[in-house]
Each structure stands twice: as structure tokens, then as C-alpha cells.
């Protein structure tokens, strides 16, 4: 696979943006409003979804993996890698499948990705804690994901329209 | 000249409603499975596990005073009052366990991910008698 300098630069910039959004989001914890472990706005998913549409699934996956690896390094927490990887990979798989079907809008893909992200993170919590008790949080997390997924879908739609004229690939 | 691999659908489609419905259905199914057998009071058992190992399992009605649990370097203080159990103090970074508040129904749980401590309310065993402490 040929990788151009433009690809590397673009993926690097988007990875940095995703990392920055993750850190920024941690400064405004949604868990203060909704006391559920793992509940968050998912701002970094803006980048992942945008990259999926603008750059394609391979580059989006590369950006996701870079963000997860570096994010866990910055957090200094190995378990953070399990949570972000499992959530991110499940979300990416669902979004790629929905995107490839050609039937869903950016909103639908985002909704599916947000819900899948929570399922993946709950799975990570079950593995980390050795307990299925955390599955009880999933219903409320899924309902929250409908809101965050819709917001992400809206923002990415606007971004994609605004960058239609750019040759990103 | 845009060279995206596919043209995005910017407006919601009818198919998106299926995603919405599927997420709602999944949430409802998990909620029914987890909380469908809700009960309160005397036949509710609290199980506290640390890093996957059960540290204490006792009837909620018999959970007296403040209990302290330590996991992964973090300490949680757990109290039971007025038929509910809650974390009164924790030195974990997120404090989600404290923000969860009190729980009283079977199926509910308080989870502290940094400490790897899970406080879960379950139905008493079917034969009714066994309560295990320690």
C-alpha cells in the first residue's frame, strides 16, 4: 500500500486533534450530570467519523489506533487502552458496516457507532472487573449514546459539507 | 475536485430509524433482564467484589455500620442506611461511585473502575437460607 507524505501529515493532524479533544473532554466530565462510569460526550469520535467519510476506513482505523495508543500513554493507565481499544474497534466495525451498506446517513452511522462504542466499553469493563454487574449500566448508556451520536452526526455532516471542495484523499 | 470514496447522505434516512429502534430495543431488553426481578428489603443481598473476587456477601438488612474496602490502591467506604447502600467516601480519581448515590433494588450496582470494586444487589438464593459473610 502506497502511503504519501500527505497521508501521513493528514492522519497525524487528525490523530492529534482526536487526542486533544479527548483531553479537553475530560476537563468537562459528563459523569457529573449523569453518574455513570464511562459516560462521555465522545468528542474524539467526531474525528473518527469524519475520517471514515473523508479519508476511508483504513486511514480512519489508523487514526483510531494512534489515538487509543497515545491516549493510554498520556493517561499513564494501561487499562485505559483496553477500554478505548475495545470501544473504538467495535464502534469502527459497526460504522464501517453501516457506511458500506450505503443505506444509512451520517446520523445513522454515528448512532450505530456511538451505541457500539458503549457496548465495547461495557465488555471491557466486564473483562477488567471480572463481573457482569456493569452490564446494568448499559441501558442508560445506550440512551445517552442516542443523544451524543446524533450530535456527533450533526457536527460531522456540517464538517463534511464544509470540506466537500477539498481533495483530502 | 472532491475525491471521496462515497457521497455521504447528509439527511437522516428511513433506515436510520431502524438503528434508533434497535438501540432502544437493546436498552429495553438489557433493562428487563437486569432489573426485571426487582425486589426490596429483606430478601436483597449485597455482594461486594474486589478485582473479581467476592469480598463480602450479606443481606442488605444486616449490613451494619461503615465498611472499608481497598482495591488497586484506592479505598472505598460503604454504608447502608434506610434500605439502601452507597459509597460514602472514595479516594478514586473519578468519584463515579459516589455520584451514583444509593442503590436499593435487585440488579442495581455501584462500580468503581479505578478500584475494581463492584457493589451489587442480588436476590437471595432460591433456597432462602444461605447468607455468606467474608
Amino acid at each position: 500500500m502506497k502511503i504519501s507524505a500527505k497521508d501521513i501529515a493528514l492522519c497525524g493532524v487528525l490523530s492529534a486533534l482526536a487526542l486533544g479533544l479527548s483531553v479537553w473532554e475530560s476537563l468537562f466530565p459528563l459523569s457529573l450530570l449523569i453518574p455513570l462510569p464511562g459516560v462521555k460526550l465522545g468528542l474524539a469520535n467526531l474525528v473518527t467519523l469524519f475520517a471514515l467519510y473523508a479519508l476511508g476506513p483504513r486511514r480512519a482505523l489508523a487514526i483510531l489506533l494512534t489515538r487509543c495508543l497515545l491516549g493510554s500513554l498520556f493517561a499513564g493507565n494501561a487499562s485505559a487502552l483496553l477500554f478505548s481499544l475495545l470501544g473504538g474497534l467495535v464502534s469502527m466495525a459497526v460504522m464501517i458496516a453501516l457506511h458500506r451498506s450505503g443505506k444509512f446517513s451520517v446520523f445513522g452511522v454515528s448512532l450505530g457507532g456511538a451505541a457500539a462504542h458503549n457496548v465495547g466499553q461495557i465488555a471491557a469493563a466486564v473483562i477488567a472487573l471480572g463481573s457482569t454487574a456493569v452490564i446494568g449500566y448499559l441501558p442508560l448508556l445506550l440512551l445517552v449514546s442516542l443523544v451524543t451520536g446524533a450530535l456527533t452526526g450533526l457536527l460531522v455532516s456540517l464538517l463534511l459539507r464544509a470540506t466537500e471542495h477539498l481533495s483530502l484523499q | 475536485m472532491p475525491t471521496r470514496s462515497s457521497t455521504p447522505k447528509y439527511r437522516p434516512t428511513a433506515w436510520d430509524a431502524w438503528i434508533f429502534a434497535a438501540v432502544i430495543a437493546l436498552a429495553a431488553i438489557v433493562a428487563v433482564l437486569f432489573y426485571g426481578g426487582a425486589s426490596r428489603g429483606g430478601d436483597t443481598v449485597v455482594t461486594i467484589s474486589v478485582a473479581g473476587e467476592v469480598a463480602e456477601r450479606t443481606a442488605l438488612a444486616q449490613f451494619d455500620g461503615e465498611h472499608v474496602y481497598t482495591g488497586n490502591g484506592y479505598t472505598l467506604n460503604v454504608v447502608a442506611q434506610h434500605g439502601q447502600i452507597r459509597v460514602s467516601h472514595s479516594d478514586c480519581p473519578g468519584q463515579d461511585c459516589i455520584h451514583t448515590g444509593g442503590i436499593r433494588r435487585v440488579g442495581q450496582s455501584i462500580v468503581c473502575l479505578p478500584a475494581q470494586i463492584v457493589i451489587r444487589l442480588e436476590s437471595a438464593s432460591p433456597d432462602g437460607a444461605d447468607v455468606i459473610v467474608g
Side-chain angles (χ1 to χ4, degrees), chain A residues 8 14 68 71 79 88 144:
Chain A
I8 294 172
L14 289 174
C68 289
S79 67
V144 172

Side-chain angles (χ1 to χ4, degrees), chain A residues 24-25 28 30 38-46 144 148-149 151-152:
Chain A
W24 187 79
E25 166 179 72
F28 305 97
L30 193 58
V39 70
K40 53 185 183 178
L41 292 169
L43 295 178
N45 295 329
L46 284 169
V144 172
T148 58
L151 284 172
T152 301

Side-chain angles (χ1 to χ4, degrees), chain A residues 99 102 105-106 136-137 163-164, chain B residues 2 4 6 9 11 16 35 109:
Chain A
H99 174 56
S105 73
V106 176
Y137 288 110
T163 56
E164 260 179 343
Chain B
R4 288 185 183 145
S6 63
K9 291 183 172 65
R11 291 176 179 272
D16 293 344
Y35 302 109
S109 58

Side-chain angles (χ1 to χ4, degrees), chain A residues 7-153:
Chain A
D7 281 340
I8 294 172
L10 197 48
C11 290
V13 166
L14 289 174
S15 298
L17 180 60
L19 268 169
L21 286 170
S22 286
V23 172
W24 187 79
E25 166 179 72
S26 68
L27 300 175
F28 305 97
L30 193 58
S31 58
L32 287 178
L33 290 174
I34 307 170
L36 293 175
V39 70
K40 53 185 183 178
L41 292 169
L43 295 178
N45 295 329
L46 284 169
V47 176
T48 308
L49 184 60
F50 174 80
L52 176 63
Y53 275 93
L55 305 179
R58 285 184 187 172
R59 290 171 182 81
L61 183 60
I63 292 167
L64 172 71
L65 291 174
T66 303
R67 187 248 298 179
C68 289
L69 286 168
L70 290 179
S72 67
L73 274 175
F74 291 170
N77 184 352
S79 67
L81 181 60
L82 173 68
F83 282 88
S84 61
L85 260 185
L86 210 48
L89 289 174
V90 172
S91 173
M92 179 63 80
V94 168
M95 288 198 296
I96 289 173
L98 295 177
H99 174 56
R100 279 194 173 159
S101 75
K103 292 183 168 61
F104 303 94
S105 73
V106 176
F107 286 90
V109 173
S110 181
L111 285 176
H117 191 96
N118 281 316
V119 171
Q121 293 215 309
I122 289 292
V126 169
I127 294 169
L129 293 169
S131 168
T132 57
V134 286
I135 297 177
Y137 288 110
L138 188 57
L140 201 46
L141 283 174
L142 286 173
L143 294 179
V144 172
S145 77
L146 290 175
V147 177
T148 58
L151 284 172
T152 301

